[in-house]
Amino acid sequence: MKTVIANWKSNPNSLREAARLAKSIEKHASLNRKAEVVIAPPFIYLSDVKKEVSTAKLGAQDVFGNEGGAYTGAINLAQLKNTGVKYVIIGHSERRRYFGETDEFINKKVTAALAYGFKVVLCVGNKEKMSDPSNFVNKQLTADLKGVSSKDKIRNLIVAYEPIWAIGTGNADNPQSAAEVSLRIKEHINKLMGVGKIKVLYGGSVTDKNIRSFISRNKIDGVLVGGASLNPSMFGRIIKAANELG
Ligand code: PEP
């Protein structure tokens, strides 16, 4: 089964628009049940998006901490769980870049979210184009997964390979090289913790036009979609492709 995750980032600007988008995604998810569809809206819309979905799953774009406490502005794992969130994106390059998140900080969040039973979508990726990004990406993974072992509900880990230069640029990676990096990631995780069945998604300027070239490769288990997930008809076609190639 291929996974398709909609990362709305800091969009849209109104609840009305969020509900409309969620309704459309739910319609496509329910018509294409061979694809696993996740919507990650801004925190402020989570409860309302939940009302619109039954087939599509709810995801969060980030998290901080396990329980409540003196952390102004933070949303914790207990709150997400009690809101019906099943997936948490951690370590997105925009969190690393604009919010100064380090591998050490990301590692704490990944460890806590796995322990809490969430499906964790851990994002990694190289800033500039590289002929072989595997070493860079695997170093990031080693740091982000420090101390995590096969005992830590590791089957709930999903890795999103997102070359930063490809995010939001309209310049997607070459599907063949994305598939090679995905394979290297799986091998690395296997070496780190003896688990070979990790899902690896590709993210970076995925559209309805290029999705098939990525997910037709069996090393790529789905896609993380930013910009195109805000376009209801385009995202519908992305879900349909994932269903057909699932
Ligand atoms: C993302 O936000 O993770 C992403 C891949 O964005 P886009 O699809 O817009 O490149």
Side-chain angles (χ1 to χ4, degrees):
M1 180 181 262
K2 301 284 183 183
T3 299
V4 179
I5 303 181
N7 174 17
W8 289 356
K9 311 193 188 200
S10 189
N11 299 291
N13 285 343
S14 73
L15 173 56
R16 204 161 152 229
E17 181 64 2
R20 194 176 74 87
L21 265 174
K23 221 177 235 144
S24 161
I25 294 177
E26 172 59 24
K27 185 186 87 189
H28 292 290
S30 65
L31 289 172
N32 294 279
R33 286 170 187 266
K34 273 200 282 161
E36 173 182 49
V37 178
V38 180
I39 307 178
F43 291 127
I44 197 166
Y45 302 138
L46 279 169
S47 299
D48 291 284
V49 167
K50 182 162 186 283
K51 290 182 202 147
E52 304 294 343
V53 299
S54 52
T55 311
K57 305 282 187 306
L58 206 54
Q61 297 176 16
D62 185 36
V63 68
F64 177 85
N66 291 7
E67 307 281 347
Y71 306 107
T72 302
I75 306 292
N76 69 54
L77 287 164
Q79 291 166 334
L80 293 182
K81 192 170 188 180
N82 292 330
T83 308
V85 170
K86 304 277 186 240
Y87 291 71
V88 186
I89 299 173
I90 296 178
H92 191 281
S93 59
E94 288 151 13
R95 298 293 317 171
R96 295 178 192 255
R97 179 175 174 195
Y98 299 117
F99 300 90
E101 295 198 5
T102 60
D103 287 318
E104 203 184 353
F105 186 54
I106 288 161
N107 173 244
K108 285 198 182 123
K109 300 207 242 190
V110 170
T111 309
L114 284 175
Y116 232 91
F118 283 91
K119 295 230 182 216
V120 170
V121 183
L122 170 60
C123 300
V124 288
N126 44 301
K127 206 164 161 191
E128 317 285 349
K129 267 192 187 184
M130 296 169 119
S131 55
D132 180 11
S134 308
N135 284 348
F136 177 89
V137 165
N138 285 345
K139 244 192 209 154
Q140 241 180 352
L141 279 173
T142 304
D144 296 344
L145 293 171
K146 193 170 161 209
V148 175
S149 78
S150 57
K151 294 185 203 86
D152 295 320
K153 300 189 181 133
I154 198 72
R155 65 184 180 287
N156 282 343
L157 176 72
I158 298 170
V159 174
Y161 168 55
E162 300 207 297
I164 298 170
W165 56 266
I167 296 180
T169 58
N171 222 346
D173 198 0
N174 174 296
Q176 171 71 31
S177 47
E180 271 158 33
V181 179
S182 298
L183 172 62
R184 299 279 166 262
I185 289 173
K186 287 176 199 219
E187 289 171 349
H188 186 66
I189 303 265
N190 195 4
K191 208 168 81 192
L192 276 182
M193 44 197 110
V195 181
K197 290 229 155 71
I198 293 293
K199 271 194 168 190
V200 178
L201 315 183
Y202 166 75
S205 296
V206 169
T207 66
D208 54 340
K209 299 283 182 295
N210 63 21
I211 178 165
R212 285 169 198 273
S213 62
F214 288 100
I215 59 168
S216 58
R217 289 163 208 266
N218 63 5
K219 296 298 174 235
I220 300 181
D221 303 297
V223 283
L224 177 48
V225 186
S229 72
L230 298 167
N231 177 327
S233 51
M234 190 185 292
F235 198 62
R237 289 191 290 277
I238 288 173
I239 294 172
K240 190 164 180 281
N243 185 64
E244 285 166 13
L245 293 167

